[in-house]
Amino acid sequence: MTDVEYCVVGAGFAGLTAAFRLKQAGHSVAVLEARDRVGGRTYTFTRDDGVWIDRGGAWIGPGQDRIYALMQEFGVPEYKQHNDGDAMMVLGGKKHRYSGKVPWRMSPWATANLGLALLSVEQMCKTIPRESPWEAKDAAEWDRISVGDWLERNVPSKGAREMLDMVLGGTYTCAGTETSVLWMLLQMASGGGPGFVIGGKGGSQDARPVGGMGAIYRPIVAELGDALHLSSPVRRVSQDADGVTVQSDGLTVRARRAIVAIPMAIAGSIDYEPSLPADRALLNQRMPGGAVIKTSVVYDEPFWRADGLSGQSAAAGTPATLTIDACTDTGSPGIMCAITEGRAARALSRLDEAERRSAIIGELIDRFGGRAAHPLEYHEQNWTVEKYSGGGMISHTPTGVLTEYGPALRAPCGRLHWAGTETSATMCGWIDGAIRSGERAASEVIAAEIASAAIV
Protein backbone atom coordinates (compact mmCIF):
# COMPACT_ATOMS: atom_id res chain seq x y z
CA MET A 1 0.00 0.00 0.00
CA THR A 2 1.18 3.53 -0.88
CA ASP A 3 0.61 6.24 1.73
CA VAL A 4 0.28 9.84 0.59
CA GLU A 5 -1.56 12.96 1.67
CA TYR A 6 -3.75 13.15 -1.42
CA CYS A 7 -4.78 10.72 -4.15
CA VAL A 8 -5.95 11.93 -7.57
CA VAL A 9 -8.00 9.66 -9.83
CA GLY A 10 -7.48 10.50 -13.50
CA ALA A 11 -4.58 12.07 -15.42
CA GLY A 12 -6.39 14.33 -17.81
CA PHE A 13 -5.75 18.05 -17.48
CA ALA A 14 -7.98 18.31 -14.38
CA GLY A 15 -6.21 15.55 -12.49
CA LEU A 16 -2.71 16.45 -13.66
CA THR A 17 -3.20 20.09 -12.67
CA ALA A 18 -4.61 19.19 -9.25
CA ALA A 19 -1.68 16.86 -8.52
CA PHE A 20 0.86 19.36 -9.87
CA ARG A 21 -0.45 22.21 -7.70
CA LEU A 22 -0.56 19.94 -4.63
CA LYS A 23 3.04 18.87 -5.19
CA GLN A 24 4.09 22.49 -5.71
CA ALA A 25 2.52 23.27 -2.34
CA GLY A 26 4.73 20.65 -0.71
CA HIS A 27 2.25 17.80 -0.38
CA SER A 28 2.71 14.14 -1.27
CA VAL A 29 0.39 12.86 -3.96
CA ALA A 30 -0.39 9.77 -6.05
CA VAL A 31 -2.14 9.90 -9.42
CA LEU A 32 -3.91 6.81 -10.72
CA GLU A 33 -4.73 6.76 -14.44
CA ALA A 34 -6.64 3.95 -16.14
CA ARG A 35 -5.12 4.50 -19.58
CA ASP A 36 -1.55 3.75 -20.59
CA ARG A 37 -1.10 7.45 -21.37
CA VAL A 38 -1.90 10.82 -19.83
CA GLY A 39 -3.98 13.63 -21.30
CA GLY A 40 -7.50 12.25 -20.89
CA ARG A 41 -9.63 13.74 -23.64
CA THR A 42 -6.55 15.36 -25.15
CA TYR A 43 -3.97 13.27 -26.98
CA THR A 44 -0.99 14.63 -28.91
CA PHE A 45 0.63 12.26 -31.38
CA THR A 46 4.11 13.31 -32.49
CA ARG A 47 5.77 11.90 -35.60
CA ASP A 48 9.47 11.07 -35.81
CA ASP A 49 10.06 14.31 -37.74
CA GLY A 50 8.49 16.39 -34.96
CA VAL A 51 5.18 17.07 -36.71
CA TRP A 52 2.43 16.77 -34.15
CA ILE A 53 -1.26 16.02 -34.40
CA ASP A 54 -3.78 16.72 -31.64
CA ARG A 55 -6.23 13.84 -31.76
CA GLY A 56 -8.42 15.35 -29.01
CA GLY A 57 -8.90 18.85 -27.57
CA ALA A 58 -6.59 21.30 -29.30
CA TRP A 59 -7.66 24.98 -29.28
CA ILE A 60 -7.34 27.91 -26.90
CA GLY A 61 -8.82 31.40 -26.87
CA PRO A 62 -9.00 34.76 -25.09
CA GLY A 63 -10.09 34.60 -21.45
CA GLN A 64 -8.69 31.11 -20.95
CA ASP A 65 -6.21 32.49 -18.47
CA ARG A 66 -5.39 29.28 -16.62
CA ILE A 67 -4.17 27.32 -19.63
CA TYR A 68 -2.19 30.37 -20.72
CA ALA A 69 -0.68 30.49 -17.23
CA LEU A 70 0.51 26.89 -17.57
CA MET A 71 1.90 27.63 -21.02
CA GLN A 72 3.84 30.57 -19.61
CA GLU A 73 5.04 28.44 -16.72
CA PHE A 74 6.54 25.89 -19.12
CA GLY A 75 7.57 28.26 -21.90
CA VAL A 76 5.03 27.01 -24.46
CA PRO A 77 4.20 29.65 -27.09
CA GLU A 78 0.96 29.92 -29.03
CA TYR A 79 0.28 30.36 -32.72
CA LYS A 80 -2.87 31.68 -34.32
CA GLN A 81 -5.37 29.40 -36.01
CA HIS A 82 -5.28 29.80 -39.80
CA ASN A 83 -8.41 31.74 -40.76
CA ASP A 84 -7.42 33.41 -44.04
CA GLY A 85 -9.75 32.69 -46.94
CA ASP A 86 -13.39 31.73 -47.29
CA ALA A 87 -15.25 29.29 -45.08
CA MET A 88 -17.84 26.92 -46.52
CA MET A 89 -21.35 25.93 -45.51
CA VAL A 90 -23.10 23.00 -47.21
CA LEU A 91 -26.90 23.28 -47.15
CA GLY A 92 -29.19 21.00 -49.10
CA GLY A 93 -26.21 19.61 -50.97
CA LYS A 94 -25.17 23.08 -52.18
CA LYS A 95 -21.82 24.57 -51.21
CA HIS A 96 -21.81 28.20 -50.08
CA ARG A 97 -18.46 29.99 -49.72
CA TYR A 98 -18.48 33.00 -47.43
CA SER A 99 -16.22 35.33 -45.48
CA GLY A 100 -16.83 36.55 -41.96
CA LYS A 101 -18.74 34.76 -39.22
CA VAL A 102 -22.14 34.29 -40.89
CA PRO A 103 -22.87 32.47 -44.20
CA TRP A 104 -24.52 35.52 -45.71
CA ARG A 105 -25.26 33.75 -48.98
CA MET A 106 -28.02 31.80 -47.27
CA SER A 107 -31.48 33.14 -48.04
CA PRO A 108 -32.28 36.45 -46.28
CA TRP A 109 -35.01 34.62 -44.34
CA ALA A 110 -32.61 31.96 -43.06
CA THR A 111 -29.92 34.54 -42.29
CA ALA A 112 -32.38 36.65 -40.28
CA ASN A 113 -33.55 33.58 -38.36
CA LEU A 114 -29.97 32.62 -37.61
CA GLY A 115 -29.03 36.07 -36.34
CA LEU A 116 -32.13 36.49 -34.18
CA ALA A 117 -31.71 33.05 -32.60
CA LEU A 118 -28.07 33.68 -31.71
CA LEU A 119 -29.00 37.09 -30.29
CA SER A 120 -31.67 35.44 -28.13
CA VAL A 121 -29.20 32.86 -26.83
CA GLU A 122 -26.71 35.61 -26.05
CA GLN A 123 -29.31 37.56 -24.05
CA MET A 124 -30.40 34.42 -22.19
CA CYS A 125 -26.77 33.63 -21.31
CA LYS A 126 -26.45 36.99 -19.59
CA THR A 127 -29.09 35.98 -17.03
CA ILE A 128 -27.31 32.79 -15.94
CA PRO A 129 -25.52 32.76 -12.55
CA ARG A 130 -22.65 30.53 -13.61
CA GLU A 131 -21.94 29.08 -10.16
CA SER A 132 -25.60 28.14 -9.70
CA PRO A 133 -27.50 28.20 -13.01
CA TRP A 134 -30.41 26.34 -11.42
CA GLU A 135 -31.15 29.59 -9.55
CA ALA A 136 -31.71 31.60 -12.75
CA LYS A 137 -35.12 33.27 -12.94
CA ASP A 138 -36.19 31.10 -15.88
CA ALA A 139 -34.16 28.00 -14.94
CA ALA A 140 -37.16 25.70 -14.49
CA GLU A 141 -38.60 26.64 -17.89
CA TRP A 142 -35.26 26.32 -19.71
CA ASP A 143 -34.49 22.99 -18.08
CA ARG A 144 -37.85 21.54 -19.15
CA ILE A 145 -37.11 21.86 -22.86
CA SER A 146 -34.32 20.57 -25.07
CA VAL A 147 -32.25 22.65 -27.45
CA GLY A 148 -34.03 20.90 -30.30
CA ASP A 149 -37.46 21.81 -28.90
CA TRP A 150 -36.38 25.43 -28.42
CA LEU A 151 -35.21 25.63 -32.04
CA GLU A 152 -38.50 24.18 -33.30
CA ARG A 153 -40.43 26.82 -31.37
CA ASN A 154 -38.24 29.82 -32.16
CA VAL A 155 -36.57 29.29 -35.56
CA PRO A 156 -39.09 29.00 -38.44
CA SER A 157 -36.44 28.60 -41.15
CA LYS A 158 -35.54 24.93 -41.65
CA GLY A 159 -32.08 25.78 -43.00
CA ALA A 160 -31.25 28.03 -40.05
CA ARG A 161 -32.71 25.47 -37.65
CA GLU A 162 -30.54 22.65 -39.03
CA MET A 163 -27.46 24.84 -38.86
CA LEU A 164 -28.18 25.90 -35.28
CA ASP A 165 -28.88 22.32 -34.19
CA MET A 166 -25.42 21.45 -35.50
CA VAL A 167 -23.79 24.48 -33.87
CA LEU A 168 -25.62 24.41 -30.53
CA GLY A 169 -26.34 20.70 -30.05
CA GLY A 170 -23.13 19.66 -31.78
CA THR A 171 -21.08 21.43 -29.12
CA TYR A 172 -22.10 18.58 -26.82
CA THR A 173 -21.54 15.96 -29.56
CA CYS A 174 -25.18 14.91 -29.47
CA ALA A 175 -28.49 15.85 -31.03
CA GLY A 176 -30.13 19.02 -29.78
CA THR A 177 -33.02 16.92 -28.49
CA GLU A 178 -30.65 15.29 -25.98
CA THR A 179 -29.51 18.46 -24.21
CA SER A 180 -31.46 20.87 -22.05
CA VAL A 181 -31.49 24.57 -22.90
CA LEU A 182 -30.31 25.36 -19.37
CA TRP A 183 -27.17 23.25 -19.83
CA MET A 184 -26.46 24.92 -23.17
CA LEU A 185 -26.83 28.35 -21.57
CA LEU A 186 -24.57 27.42 -18.64
CA GLN A 187 -21.85 26.11 -20.91
CA MET A 188 -22.03 29.03 -23.31
CA ALA A 189 -22.26 31.63 -20.54
CA SER A 190 -19.18 30.12 -18.91
CA GLY A 191 -17.19 31.15 -21.99
CA GLY A 192 -18.81 34.55 -22.46
CA GLY A 193 -21.64 33.63 -24.84
CA PRO A 194 -22.26 31.93 -28.19
CA GLY A 195 -19.94 34.26 -30.08
CA PHE A 196 -16.96 32.87 -28.17
CA VAL A 197 -18.13 29.26 -28.28
CA ILE A 198 -18.54 29.06 -32.05
CA GLY A 199 -15.94 31.68 -32.94
CA GLY A 200 -12.60 31.27 -34.66
CA LYS A 201 -10.59 34.48 -34.49
CA GLY A 202 -11.07 35.95 -31.02
CA GLY A 203 -13.15 32.93 -30.00
CA SER A 204 -12.59 29.47 -28.61
CA GLN A 205 -10.60 28.41 -31.69
CA ASP A 206 -8.40 31.47 -31.78
CA ALA A 207 -5.03 29.75 -31.31
CA ARG A 208 -3.15 26.57 -30.47
CA PRO A 209 -0.08 25.75 -28.37
CA VAL A 210 3.07 25.14 -30.39
CA GLY A 211 3.72 21.43 -30.03
CA GLY A 212 0.09 20.65 -29.26
CA MET A 213 -1.48 19.97 -25.88
CA GLY A 214 1.28 17.46 -25.19
CA ALA A 215 3.72 20.36 -24.93
CA ILE A 216 1.77 21.41 -21.82
CA TYR A 217 1.01 18.09 -20.18
CA ARG A 218 4.43 16.47 -20.70
CA PRO A 219 6.25 18.92 -18.38
CA ILE A 220 3.62 18.25 -15.70
CA VAL A 221 4.28 14.52 -16.05
CA ALA A 222 8.00 15.18 -15.60
CA GLU A 223 7.30 17.18 -12.43
CA LEU A 224 5.11 14.43 -10.98
CA GLY A 225 7.68 11.70 -11.63
CA ASP A 226 6.92 8.40 -9.91
CA ALA A 227 3.77 9.86 -8.31
CA LEU A 228 2.02 9.04 -11.59
CA HIS A 229 0.78 5.48 -12.10
CA LEU A 230 -0.53 4.53 -15.55
CA SER A 231 -2.62 1.48 -16.49
CA SER A 232 -4.20 1.66 -13.03
CA PRO A 233 -7.98 1.80 -13.41
CA VAL A 234 -9.59 2.59 -10.06
CA ARG A 235 -12.17 0.03 -9.00
CA ARG A 236 -13.10 1.09 -5.48
CA VAL A 237 -12.88 4.18 -3.27
CA SER A 238 -13.54 3.67 0.45
CA GLN A 239 -13.55 6.42 3.03
CA ASP A 240 -13.66 6.39 6.81
CA ALA A 241 -13.19 8.92 9.60
CA ASP A 242 -9.42 9.05 9.09
CA GLY A 243 -8.93 8.95 5.35
CA VAL A 244 -9.56 7.35 1.97
CA THR A 245 -8.45 4.05 0.47
CA VAL A 246 -8.27 3.97 -3.32
CA GLN A 247 -7.93 0.55 -4.94
CA SER A 248 -6.81 0.14 -8.53
CA ASP A 249 -5.51 -2.80 -10.52
CA GLY A 250 -2.21 -3.63 -8.87
CA LEU A 251 -2.02 -0.66 -6.49
CA THR A 252 -3.76 0.50 -3.34
CA VAL A 253 -3.32 4.07 -2.08
CA ARG A 254 -4.14 5.38 1.37
CA ALA A 255 -4.64 9.14 1.56
CA ARG A 256 -6.26 11.81 3.68
CA ARG A 257 -8.51 12.88 0.80
CA ALA A 258 -9.11 11.97 -2.83
CA ILE A 259 -9.91 14.01 -5.93
CA VAL A 260 -11.91 12.19 -8.59
CA ALA A 261 -11.07 13.86 -11.90
CA ILE A 262 -12.55 11.58 -14.53
CA PRO A 263 -15.37 12.31 -17.01
CA MET A 264 -18.82 12.57 -15.46
CA ALA A 265 -20.04 9.90 -17.86
CA ILE A 266 -17.86 7.23 -16.20
CA ALA A 267 -17.60 8.59 -12.63
CA GLY A 268 -20.32 6.17 -11.56
CA SER A 269 -18.32 3.14 -12.70
CA ILE A 270 -16.28 3.24 -9.47
CA ASP A 271 -17.54 1.38 -6.42
CA TYR A 272 -17.85 3.92 -3.59
CA GLU A 273 -17.98 2.82 0.04
CA PRO A 274 -20.02 4.10 1.70
CA SER A 275 -22.32 4.86 -1.20
CA LEU A 276 -22.32 8.40 -2.51
CA PRO A 277 -25.13 10.71 -1.38
CA ALA A 278 -28.23 10.13 -3.50
CA ASP A 279 -28.02 13.40 -5.44
CA ARG A 280 -24.42 12.81 -6.48
CA ALA A 281 -24.97 9.15 -7.33
CA LEU A 282 -27.99 10.03 -9.47
CA LEU A 283 -26.15 12.93 -11.13
CA ASN A 284 -23.40 10.50 -12.18
CA GLN A 285 -26.08 8.40 -13.87
CA ARG A 286 -27.62 11.37 -15.65
CA MET A 287 -24.66 13.13 -17.31
CA PRO A 288 -23.79 11.10 -20.41
CA GLY A 289 -21.18 11.86 -23.01
CA GLY A 290 -21.97 12.24 -26.70
CA ALA A 291 -20.46 10.79 -29.84
CA VAL A 292 -17.48 12.31 -31.66
CA ILE A 293 -14.83 11.13 -34.09
CA LYS A 294 -11.84 13.33 -34.86
CA THR A 295 -10.00 12.50 -38.06
CA SER A 296 -6.73 14.12 -39.12
CA VAL A 297 -5.83 13.77 -42.80
CA VAL A 298 -2.27 14.68 -43.77
CA TYR A 299 -1.31 16.04 -47.21
CA ASP A 300 1.99 17.22 -48.66
CA GLU A 301 0.79 20.82 -48.36
CA PRO A 302 -2.35 22.77 -47.35
CA PHE A 303 -3.59 23.04 -50.93
CA TRP A 304 -6.94 24.53 -49.90
CA ARG A 305 -5.17 27.74 -48.90
CA ALA A 306 -4.05 28.35 -52.48
CA ASP A 307 -7.69 28.00 -53.52
CA GLY A 308 -8.67 30.87 -51.21
CA LEU A 309 -10.24 28.60 -48.59
CA SER A 310 -9.60 28.69 -44.86
CA GLY A 311 -10.31 24.97 -44.46
CA GLN A 312 -13.32 25.62 -42.25
CA SER A 313 -16.51 23.99 -43.48
CA ALA A 314 -19.74 22.66 -42.01
CA ALA A 315 -22.30 20.20 -43.32
CA ALA A 316 -24.89 18.97 -40.85
CA GLY A 317 -25.48 15.23 -40.70
CA THR A 318 -22.58 14.28 -42.98
CA PRO A 319 -19.58 12.05 -42.15
CA ALA A 320 -17.52 15.23 -41.79
CA THR A 321 -19.79 17.52 -39.80
CA LEU A 322 -17.05 20.12 -39.47
CA THR A 323 -13.60 20.62 -40.96
CA ILE A 324 -10.81 22.93 -39.90
CA ASP A 325 -7.22 23.58 -40.96
CA ALA A 326 -5.10 21.76 -38.35
CA CYS A 327 -1.61 22.54 -39.63
CA THR A 328 1.19 23.13 -37.15
CA ASP A 329 2.80 26.54 -36.70
CA THR A 330 5.04 25.90 -39.73
CA GLY A 331 2.10 25.33 -42.09
CA SER A 332 3.66 22.17 -43.49
CA PRO A 333 2.61 19.47 -44.10
CA GLY A 334 -1.06 20.15 -44.76
CA ILE A 335 -3.30 18.73 -42.04
CA MET A 336 -7.07 18.80 -42.44
CA CYS A 337 -9.12 17.92 -39.38
CA ALA A 338 -12.61 16.48 -39.82
CA ILE A 339 -14.88 16.35 -36.77
CA THR A 340 -17.93 14.12 -36.87
CA GLU A 341 -20.52 14.67 -34.12
CA GLY A 342 -23.74 13.30 -32.71
CA ARG A 343 -25.93 11.13 -34.93
CA ALA A 344 -23.43 11.34 -37.79
CA ALA A 345 -20.66 10.01 -35.52
CA ARG A 346 -22.84 7.13 -34.38
CA ALA A 347 -23.65 6.28 -37.99
CA LEU A 348 -19.97 6.48 -38.97
CA SER A 349 -19.05 4.19 -36.07
CA ARG A 350 -21.23 1.45 -37.56
CA LEU A 351 -19.02 1.29 -40.66
CA ASP A 352 -15.75 -0.61 -40.86
CA GLU A 353 -12.42 1.22 -40.98
CA ALA A 354 -12.15 1.24 -44.79
CA GLU A 355 -15.72 2.52 -45.17
CA ARG A 356 -15.14 5.30 -42.63
CA ARG A 357 -11.99 6.41 -44.44
CA SER A 358 -13.79 6.38 -47.78
CA ALA A 359 -16.67 8.43 -46.36
CA ILE A 360 -14.38 11.08 -44.83
CA ILE A 361 -12.13 11.39 -47.88
CA GLY A 362 -15.22 11.59 -50.09
CA GLU A 363 -16.48 14.58 -48.12
CA LEU A 364 -13.10 16.30 -48.39
CA ILE A 365 -12.99 15.72 -52.15
CA ASP A 366 -16.48 17.17 -52.52
CA ARG A 367 -15.57 20.31 -50.59
CA PHE A 368 -11.92 20.88 -51.47
CA GLY A 369 -11.38 19.19 -54.81
CA GLY A 370 -9.50 16.24 -56.30
CA ARG A 371 -6.24 16.80 -54.42
CA ALA A 372 -8.01 15.69 -51.26
CA ALA A 373 -8.16 12.16 -52.72
CA HIS A 374 -4.44 11.53 -52.13
CA PRO A 375 -3.51 11.90 -48.45
CA LEU A 376 -0.12 10.91 -47.09
CA GLU A 377 -1.55 9.78 -43.74
CA TYR A 378 -4.92 9.21 -42.12
CA HIS A 379 -5.38 9.33 -38.33
CA GLU A 380 -8.73 8.49 -36.74
CA GLN A 381 -9.65 8.92 -33.07
CA ASN A 382 -13.09 7.60 -32.21
CA TRP A 383 -13.71 9.08 -28.78
CA THR A 384 -17.19 7.57 -28.75
CA VAL A 385 -15.81 4.11 -28.00
CA GLU A 386 -12.94 5.18 -25.72
CA LYS A 387 -13.51 3.05 -22.62
CA TYR A 388 -12.21 5.65 -20.18
CA SER A 389 -13.77 8.71 -21.86
CA GLY A 390 -17.41 7.68 -21.82
CA GLY A 391 -18.26 9.31 -25.13
CA GLY A 392 -17.82 12.85 -26.44
CA MET A 393 -15.51 15.63 -25.37
CA ILE A 394 -17.92 16.92 -22.72
CA SER A 395 -20.75 15.38 -20.73
CA HIS A 396 -24.14 17.09 -20.88
CA THR A 397 -27.41 17.13 -18.98
CA PRO A 398 -30.71 16.10 -20.56
CA THR A 399 -33.86 17.97 -19.60
CA GLY A 400 -34.71 18.19 -15.91
CA VAL A 401 -31.29 17.16 -14.61
CA LEU A 402 -29.55 20.45 -13.85
CA THR A 403 -32.33 21.97 -11.77
CA GLU A 404 -32.84 18.71 -9.88
CA TYR A 405 -29.26 17.57 -9.26
CA GLY A 406 -27.04 20.52 -10.24
CA PRO A 407 -26.08 21.49 -6.66
CA ALA A 408 -24.24 18.14 -6.37
CA LEU A 409 -21.94 18.99 -9.28
CA ARG A 410 -19.03 20.33 -7.19
CA ALA A 411 -20.07 19.55 -3.59
CA PRO A 412 -17.53 17.28 -1.80
CA CYS A 413 -18.81 13.93 -0.55
CA GLY A 414 -17.03 13.57 2.76
CA ARG A 415 -13.35 13.15 1.88
CA LEU A 416 -14.06 12.86 -1.84
CA HIS A 417 -13.71 15.95 -4.03
CA TRP A 418 -14.60 16.40 -7.68
CA ALA A 419 -12.77 17.92 -10.64
CA GLY A 420 -13.31 17.90 -14.39
CA THR A 421 -14.20 20.51 -16.98
CA GLU A 422 -17.95 19.96 -16.45
CA THR A 423 -17.55 21.16 -12.84
CA SER A 424 -16.01 24.50 -13.83
CA ALA A 425 -18.22 27.58 -13.73
CA THR A 426 -15.78 29.33 -16.07
CA MET A 427 -14.83 27.80 -19.42
CA CYS A 428 -16.94 24.71 -18.78
CA GLY A 429 -16.20 22.19 -21.50
CA TRP A 430 -12.78 23.50 -22.48
CA ILE A 431 -9.31 22.39 -21.39
CA ASP A 432 -9.02 25.68 -19.52
CA GLY A 433 -12.10 24.67 -17.52
CA ALA A 434 -10.47 21.35 -16.66
CA ILE A 435 -7.37 23.17 -15.42
CA ARG A 436 -9.48 25.56 -13.36
CA SER A 437 -11.32 22.63 -11.80
CA GLY A 438 -8.06 20.92 -10.88
CA GLU A 439 -6.73 24.05 -9.22
CA ARG A 440 -10.01 24.52 -7.36
CA ALA A 441 -10.00 20.93 -6.11
CA ALA A 442 -6.37 21.20 -4.99
CA SER A 443 -7.14 24.34 -2.97
CA GLU A 444 -10.30 22.69 -1.64
CA VAL A 445 -8.59 19.60 -0.20
CA ILE A 446 -5.82 21.66 1.41
CA ALA A 447 -8.38 24.00 3.01
CA ALA A 448 -10.44 21.04 4.20
CA GLU A 449 -7.42 19.48 5.89
CA ILE A 450 -6.47 22.78 7.54
CA ALA A 451 -10.04 23.16 8.84
CA SER A 452 -10.05 19.56 10.07
CA ALA A 453 -6.76 20.04 11.92
CA ALA A 454 -8.06 23.23 13.52
CA ILE A 455 -11.10 21.39 14.86
CA VAL A 456 -8.92 18.68 16.37
Side-chain angles (χ1 to χ4, degrees), residues 317-372:
T318 68
T321 316
L322 305 167
T323 69
I324 188 168
D325 184 312
C327 296
T328 70
D329 55 307
T330 66
S332 180
I335 305 174
M336 178 62 74
C337 170
I339 300 174
T340 314
E341 300 171 333
R343 293 190 186 99
R346 300 200 308 270
L348 197 62
S349 293
R350 298 184 196 113
L351 305 180
D352 63 31
E353 184 177 354
E355 290 171 326
R356 290 196 300 272
R357 177 185 173 116
S358 177
I360 293 292
I361 297 298
E363 288 292 331
L364 299 184
I365 293 170
D366 182 61
R367 294 177 212 181
F368 302 109
R371 292 188 64 180

Side-chain angles (χ1 to χ4, degrees), residues 17 195 240 258 314 400 444:
T17 303
D240 53 45
E444 197 173 272

Side-chain angles (χ1 to χ4, degrees), residues 85-88 96-105:
D86 291 343
M88 185 185 300
H96 303 271
R97 290 178 59 152
Y98 66 95
S99 58
K101 294 184 178 181
V102 178
W104 52 271
R105 290 186 180 178

Side-chain angles (χ1 to χ4, degrees), residues 247-268:
Q247 296 172 272
S248 72
D249 290 357
L251 182 67
T252 298
V253 176
R254 180 67 178 175
R256 295 178 186 173
R257 293 179 180 271
I259 297 171
V260 179
I262 60 178
M264 293 290 296
I266 60 170

Side-chain angles (χ1 to χ4, degrees), residues 21 64-75 432 439:
R21 296 306 185 202
Q64 297 188 341
D65 302 332
R66 300 319 302 155
I67 192 168
Y68 275 109
L70 273 181
M71 290 168 63
Q72 185 175 15
E73 210 165 330
F74 296 122
D432 181 82
E439 292 178 332

Side-chain angles (χ1 to χ4, degrees), residues 175-197:
T177 53
E178 299 177 74
T179 305
S180 87
V181 168
L182 186 61
W183 175 260
M184 175 194 71
L185 296 176
L186 162 62
Q187 193 272 330
M188 291 200 167
S190 79
F196 178 83
V197 175

Side-chain angles (χ1 to χ4, degrees), residues 121-203:
V121 171
E122 184 176 356
Q123 294 302 317
M124 292 156 70
C125 282
K126 292 177 180 179
T127 71
I128 296 292
R130 294 183 303 184
E131 293 284 347
S132 52
W134 43 88
E135 294 179 357
K137 178 178 176 292
D138 296 309
E141 176 187 348
W142 290 337
D143 208 31
R144 277 197 299 267
I145 62 172
S146 71
V147 173
D149 290 336
W150 186 87
L151 292 174
E152 286 286 344
R153 296 178 188 181
N154 293 280
V155 184
S157 164
K158 181 181 178 182
R161 193 164 59 244
E162 289 178 352
M163 181 179 174
L164 286 165
D165 186 77
M166 175 181 63
V167 169
L168 302 179
T171 301
Y172 317 109
T173 60
C174 63
T177 53
E178 299 177 74
T179 305
S180 87
V181 168
L182 186 61
W183 175 260
M184 175 194 71
L185 296 176
L186 162 62
Q187 193 272 330
M188 291 200 167
S190 79
F196 178 83
V197 175
I198 65 178
K201 186 176 181 180

